[in-house]
Amino acid sequence: MKFLFGLLLILLGLFCDLAFADQTRQSGNAFLSPEMLKQQNDPSMNPISLWVDQGQELFKANCQECHQSVAAIAKAVVQFPKWGEDKSSPGKLINIEDQIASCYSKKTGKQSANDDANILSLSIFLSDAARGLKIHVQEPTDTKVKAQWQSQMNLGAQIYTQRQGRLNLSCTQCHDQRIGKNLRSEIISPAYVTGFPIYRQSWQAIGSLDRRLRACYSGVQASVPASASAELRALELFLKKRSEGMLWDGPSLRR
């Protein structure tokens, strides 16, 4: 019964994709103002360039010994979230920052949270290197693991479609049904995750998809999940899967 319910939710999400296909198979970059788009496309004006450079230095110092090819490891950006298989993340979904933090901690001997400045810099460097690749989330091949993975996908679909918070809004009400309309000072874009981490002007800082999702919870005045929670990873999986086949934009600017 749970499987059928989850399947129904996923089909609902796909229906929304088809119903708004002429509008929503676009990344958030399509909804930037001309001024912000110009800033994003000019490395000398784009603040993200600073984090790309820092990430490159960190990669050379800590990662290149194992990963000689940046292009090869950058493919992971468009494949995550994945089902964790090593001792640090057994039996749960992990995203790209989780994986980077795990590897970085092993290399340096220091525990790093996934929103640590160095972790985000490495994530931005790899995201920039993955620019132009097609999003292709890797599904588990093991039958038992795939069932658990599917359960998390169903959870993500459920979260996406359910009303939440004091404003009683769901993700789909804004990001499928009100695309292109104004919300406060922003234009609502579709929920396709093609360009993270982001530099958000209102934050004056870099943030991961994890942080952006928590900001959405706060925006509808709902209880905000803890960073790296199973709920956020399930939602990220659903969003990444519904972005399947779209081109990765690399790290992006937002208001």
Side-chain angles (χ1 to χ4, degrees), residues 137-171:
V137 178
Q138 286 195 336
E139 300 182 14
T141 55
D142 181 87
T143 303
K144 183 178 179 181
V145 173
K146 187 170 184 178
Q148 295 173 304
W149 180 91
Q150 184 64 55
S151 176
Q152 292 303 298
M153 173 76 84
N154 295 349
L155 174 60
Q158 179 182 344
I159 295 168
Y160 185 78
T161 54
Q162 72 184 22
R163 292 173 179 265
Q164 298 195 58
R166 292 179 63 189
L167 298 187
N168 196 32
L169 288 173
S170 67
C171 306

Side-chain angles (χ1 to χ4, degrees), residues 6-19:
L7 182 60
L8 178 62
L9 289 170
I10 290 173
L11 289 174
L12 176 61
L14 293 175
F15 172 77
C16 290
D17 287 352
L18 292 173

Side-chain angles (χ1 to χ4, degrees), residues 11-41:
L11 289 174
L12 176 61
L14 293 175
F15 172 77
C16 290
D17 287 352
L18 292 173
F20 298 92
D22 59 330
Q23 302 175 33
T24 58
R25 291 299 287 185
Q26 303 177 79
S27 76
N29 289 345
F31 297 83
L32 292 178
S33 67
E35 294 77 18
M36 284 196 69
L37 194 59
K38 180 181 179 181
Q39 183 181 10
Q40 176 162 280
N41 293 335

